[in-house]
């Protein structure tokens, strides 16, 4: 017996079995655990989390000012009222998740420092075998499960994405990626360039501006931003009236979702009007003399990329105060002292922060196989952005970009619990999505239509993602407002679900 065979045999002997294994303990994994516990009492389950604690995104990202850019009434779960200001720091979100874990006795269902490295489905046993590596001891642990609920997010937590620039290594200053922000990193009195134009850059810039000598946001294409008060009027009014927090949560959620729906639809029906409104809000902070056309006017229709919320216009206030500035240009190459731009201008810096995005990682870097044969998700077609043709007993939670991610966590959880109950009632051990006869001539397209939504990390990784069809069943349409009505009506006896 060679060494690897012996390790496998030992692991198999010690395998622990659960009805459901959840990958990850971010907002999706903790939500999945809550719903299993409350909707499916008696189900055995475990959440395996690579990091040392819960939180996912809100644990990984530690850069100054890290906060949500969605309101927490909709980013919070539907079952747990959010009772503070709508835009929350990472610590506040983790506190909220910690309360959900404590109040529902979920801690004993989560194993930290367990990184899932492989998952194999056996058709003979109707089981997933999941191999995890313990990050503290290096030990391998094996689990078997009937159902695998993938809540591992969509990007690699271990490292962010940094493009390759010419002469990058010549720069003598410090380079950091916000995803790996060193604790106690000293930027006081330093000249800082933040490369990027997304939510991370827009959050970081005003939050370090007071302490830096100067901070420059260097962007290639500009982004749209929404701005407004860090408060929601209807929630404030209801709170003044001493309405119960559960009611405030529900009414505020409905109100926000109604307004977001109206805005999203407007970006399709009246893109110029929506654009004008977004830009006038920026102009109200920066004044008519600021070059908004160059620095804050994207070429694309609003909502083709995520629109970050700028609470109280803090980014614009830092620019107006002269502590921060925006340069819209392209990097030609790095120099010892900074960056030479394509326009010929140079920017000198002590620190360069590469707020340039994520590495898409659809499978949490797990090696998937079916009966030992490697599984490439790019060869599958997605059932509503959560299941995949030919892949049994598996669901992936991929939330919304135009609405809060968590809205879909709750919707998918209802679906999974209903599906598990249906399988139990009918004695099925296995459910596999398959294209129905009427779907066979359907065009197979990339996961998302770039005309609809096209952030850089999606475009870089699209070839790794499952395909979509042109019918609602075979795509993740990013439309919460349609799915909230469609999901509860999913017919589990539809031919798209093949049971055994
Ligand atoms: C900085 C930032 C701000 C954001 N702000 C918002 C916002 O305001 N509103 C919004 O709707 N969305 C926002 N998003 C998107 C955000 O990622 C999601 O909303 C949400 O937090 C994702 O939750 P999740 O649990 O699905 O995934 P994640 O938060 O990514 O958590 C996944 C967890 O799975 C673990 N994991 C991954 N692979 C493995 C493995 N192989 N084995 C074991 N564990 C694994 C990870 O360690 C992680 O803890 C933001 C994203 C970022 C990066």
């Amino acid at each position: 017996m060679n060494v690897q065979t012996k390790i496998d045999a030992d692991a198999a002997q010690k395998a622990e079995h659960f009805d459901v294994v959840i990958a990850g303990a971010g907002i999706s994994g903790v939500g999945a655990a809550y719903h299993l516990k409350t909707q499916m009492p008696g189900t055995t389950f475990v959440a395996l989390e690579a990091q040392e604690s819960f939180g996912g995104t809100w644990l990984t990202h530690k850069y100054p000012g890290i906060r949500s850019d969605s309101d927490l009434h909709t980013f919070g779960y539907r079952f747990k009222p959010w009772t503070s200001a709508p835009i929350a720091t990472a610590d506040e979100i983790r506190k909220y998740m910690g309360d959900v874990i404590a109040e529902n006795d979920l801690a004993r269902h989560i194993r930290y420092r367990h990184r899932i490295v492989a998952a194999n489905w056996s058709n003979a046993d109707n089981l997933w075998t999941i191999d995890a590596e313990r990050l503290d001891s290096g030990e391998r642990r094996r689990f078997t499960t009937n159902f695998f609920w993938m809540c591992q997010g969509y990007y690699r937590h271990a490292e962010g994405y940094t493009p390759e620039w010419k002469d990058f290594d010549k720069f003598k200053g410090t380079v950091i990626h916000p995803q790996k922000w060193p604790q106690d990193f000293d930027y006081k009195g330093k000249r800082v360039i933040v490369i990027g134009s997304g939510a991370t850059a827009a959050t970081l810039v005003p939050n370090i501006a007071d302490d830096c000598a100067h901070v420059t946001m260097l962007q290639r294409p500009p982004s749209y931003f929404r701005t407004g008060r860090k408060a929601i009027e209807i929630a404030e009014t209801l709170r003044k009236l001493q309405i119960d927090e559960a009611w405030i949560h529900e009414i505020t959620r409905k109100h926000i979702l109604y307004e977001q729906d109206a805005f999203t639809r407007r970006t399709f029906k009246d893109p110029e009007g929506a654009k004008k409104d977004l830009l006038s809000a920026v102009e109200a902070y920066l004044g008519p003399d600021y070059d908004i056309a160059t620095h804050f006017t994207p070429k694309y229709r609003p909502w083709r990329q995520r629109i970050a919320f700028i609470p109280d216009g803090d980014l614009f206030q830092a620019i107006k105060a002269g502590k921060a500035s925006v340069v819209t240009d392209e990097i030609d190459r790095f120099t010892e002292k900074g960056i030479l731009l394509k326009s010929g201008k140079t920017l000198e810096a002590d620190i360069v922060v590469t707020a340039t995005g994520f590495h898409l990682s659809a499978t949490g870097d797990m090696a998937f196989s079916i009966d030992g044969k490697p599984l490439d998700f790019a060869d599958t077609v997605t059932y509503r952005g959560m299941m995949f043709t030919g892949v049994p007993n598996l669901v992936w939670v991929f939330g919304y970009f135009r609405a809060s991610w968590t809205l879909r966590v709750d919707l998918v959880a209802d679906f999974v619990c209903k599906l598990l109950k249906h399988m139990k009632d009918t004695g099925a051990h296995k459910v596999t999505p398959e294209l129905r006869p009427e779907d066979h001539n359907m065009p197979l397209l990339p996961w998302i239509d770039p005309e609809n939504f096209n952030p850089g990390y999606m475009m870089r990784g699209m070839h790794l993602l499952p395909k979509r069809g042109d019918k609602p069943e075979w795509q993740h349409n990013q439309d919460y407002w349609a799915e909230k009505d469609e999901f509860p009506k999913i017919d589990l006896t539809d031919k798209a679900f093949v049971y055994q």
Side-chain angles (χ1 to χ4, degrees):
M1 190 185 278
N2 70 26
V3 177
Q4 187 55 48
T5 318
K6 178 160 172 12
I7 293 171
D8 285 348
D10 288 351
Q13 259 183 4
K14 289 187 205 143
E16 278 180 84
H17 181 78
F18 293 93
D19 297 331
V20 180
V21 166
I22 298 167
I27 198 97
S28 303
V30 172
Y34 168 87
H35 284 288
L36 268 180
K37 181 120 188 182
T38 51
Q39 297 193 42
M40 298 288 296
T43 305
T44 61
F45 68 93
V46 68
L48 302 176
E49 167 55 59
Q51 304 202 61
E52 68 284 5
S53 189
F54 59 87
T57 293
W58 310 103
L59 177 66
T60 299
H61 291 261
K62 298 189 169 84
Y63 58 80
I66 166 78
R67 65 184 178 212
S68 67
D69 63 0
S70 300
D71 71 276
L72 257 290
H73 290 283
T74 59
F75 190 78
Y77 303 107
R78 70 168 181 234
F79 56 83
K80 163 107 178 139
W82 178 258
T83 57
S84 316
I87 298 299
T89 63
D91 285 347
E92 287 167 333
I93 298 174
R94 287 197 69 240
K95 157 91 177 54
Y96 171 86
M97 290 174 65
D99 290 346
V100 170
I101 292 172
E103 287 159 14
N104 298 285
D105 190 21
L106 298 178
R108 63 198 175 84
H109 296 279
I110 308 176
R111 309 258 179 104
Y112 295 113
R113 298 189 175 88
H114 280 63
R115 189 170 73 84
I116 302 172
V117 289
N120 177 58
W121 171 262
S122 158
N123 275 311
D125 304 325
N126 283 331
L127 283 181
W128 283 102
T129 295
I130 290 175
D131 284 326
E133 180 190 4
R134 281 198 61 154
L135 297 180
D136 42 2
S137 60
E139 191 192 342
R140 277 259 171 146
R141 298 298 303 273
R142 179 161 285 184
F143 300 84
T144 55
T145 188
N146 307 85
F147 200 91
F148 192 21
W149 196 334
M150 289 170 56
C151 295
Q152 83 296 337
Y154 61 97
Y155 66 89
R156 189 170 297 152
H157 281 251
E159 50 163 6
Y161 169 74
T162 307
E164 286 188 6
W165 290 292
K166 198 171 164 204
D167 296 339
F168 197 17
D169 55 343
K170 297 221 166 96
F171 179 58
K172 291 257 191 300
T174 309
V175 178
I176 45 174
H177 191 288
Q179 204 169 312
K180 288 272 155 202
W181 193 272
Q183 291 303 288
D184 304 323
F185 180 63
D186 186 12
Y187 48 87
K188 279 205 171 58
K190 301 276 180 9
R191 296 162 306 164
V192 181
I193 297 175
V194 177
I195 305 175
S197 61
T200 302
T203 302
L204 247 174
V205 168
N207 278 285
I208 59 175
D210 278 342
D211 292 327
C212 297
H214 189 77
V215 52
T216 306
M217 184 165 121
L218 171 60
Q219 60 177 12
R220 211 166 39 165
S223 303
Y224 288 110
F225 295 108
R226 283 178 308 126
T227 182
R229 275 175 69 220
K230 197 180 151 186
I232 292 176
E233 208 174 310
I234 194 164
E236 288 180 318
T237 307
L238 294 171
R239 212 158 271 141
K240 259 190 230 147
L241 299 175
Q242 299 186 326
I243 303 292
D244 184 81
E245 284 294 344
W247 281 52
I248 299 179
H249 189 59
E250 184 60 16
I251 294 168
T252 308
R253 270 164 78 86
K254 289 242 156 75
H255 178 78
I256 291 167
L257 288 166
Y258 177 82
E259 293 207 321
Q260 281 177 358
D261 185 27
F263 180 71
T264 303
R265 289 185 199 286
R266 187 158 172 235
T267 61
F268 286 92
K269 279 194 194 137
D270 175 22
E272 282 308 312
K275 178 174 173 177
K276 208 164 150 227
D277 285 358
L278 290 169
L279 299 184
S280 354
V282 177
E283 193 180 322
Y285 280 103
L286 292 174
D289 297 332
Y290 189 85
D291 187 0
I292 288 174
T294 302
H295 301 308
F296 290 106
T297 311
K299 291 203 166 53
Y300 56 85
R301 164 180 62 70
W303 257 148
R304 242 204 226 164
Q305 298 196 11
R306 206 179 159 86
I307 304 181
F309 181 70
I310 309 291
D312 300 323
D314 60 3
L315 170 67
F316 311 120
Q317 296 203 41
I319 296 169
K320 183 88 181 158
K323 293 173 187 164
S325 48
V326 182
V327 171
T328 306
D329 207 321
E330 264 191 72
I331 296 174
D332 181 63
R333 62 187 156 91
F334 273 75
T335 64
E336 285 189 7
K337 291 184 171 175
I339 299 175
L340 173 65
L341 300 168
K342 290 243 162 100
S343 63
K345 197 173 159 189
T346 51
L347 294 175
E348 293 198 350
D350 306 303
I351 299 166
V352 168
V353 180
T354 55
T356 40
F358 315 114
H359 274 294
L360 189 78
S361 170
T363 60
D365 294 333
M366 302 168 208
F368 274 84
S369 53
I370 294 187
D371 288 334
K373 188 168 168 266
L375 167 67
D376 185 347
F377 278 88
D379 295 336
T380 70
V381 183
T382 185
Y383 177 80
R384 292 186 187 271
M386 60 178 172
M387 295 177 86
F388 309 98
T389 49
V391 186
N393 293 19
L394 177 140
V395 159
W396 178 30
V397 179
F398 192 103
Y400 297 112
F401 289 124
R402 293 201 188 99
S404 287
W405 184 273
T406 319
L407 293 163
R408 206 162 199 262
V409 173
D410 286 331
L411 279 185
V412 171
D414 289 344
F415 168 79
V416 173
C417 293
K418 203 170 125 188
L419 178 66
L420 293 176
K421 275 184 197 143
H422 178 77
M423 290 174 73
K424 199 171 171 192
D425 292 347
T426 55
H429 296 291
K430 173 171 150 186
V431 56
T432 313
E434 295 294 355
L435 296 183
R436 302 157 300 190
E438 67 264 36
D439 301 321
H440 279 134
N441 290 327
M442 179 173 69
L444 296 183
L445 305 156
W447 171 262
I448 196 159
D449 178 2
E451 278 300 306
N452 184 344
F453 194 75
N454 63 10
Y457 56 89
M458 290 293 284
M459 294 303 109
R460 285 193 298 274
M462 193 83 92
H463 60 288
L464 305 171
L465 290 168
K467 305 277 180 296
R468 104 189 117 92
D470 63 356
K471 301 179 187 173
E473 297 90 323
W474 301 109
Q475 54 182 270
H476 182 347
N477 62 10
Q478 285 290 335
D479 187 346
Y480 166 72
W481 295 272
E483 288 193 341
K484 76 176 178 16
D485 299 325
E486 286 168 13
F487 266 47
K489 291 189 201 140
I490 291 176
D491 176 7
L492 293 174
T493 63
D494 188 278
K495 291 211 165 39
F497 301 110
V498 178
Y499 297 96
Q500 275 175 13

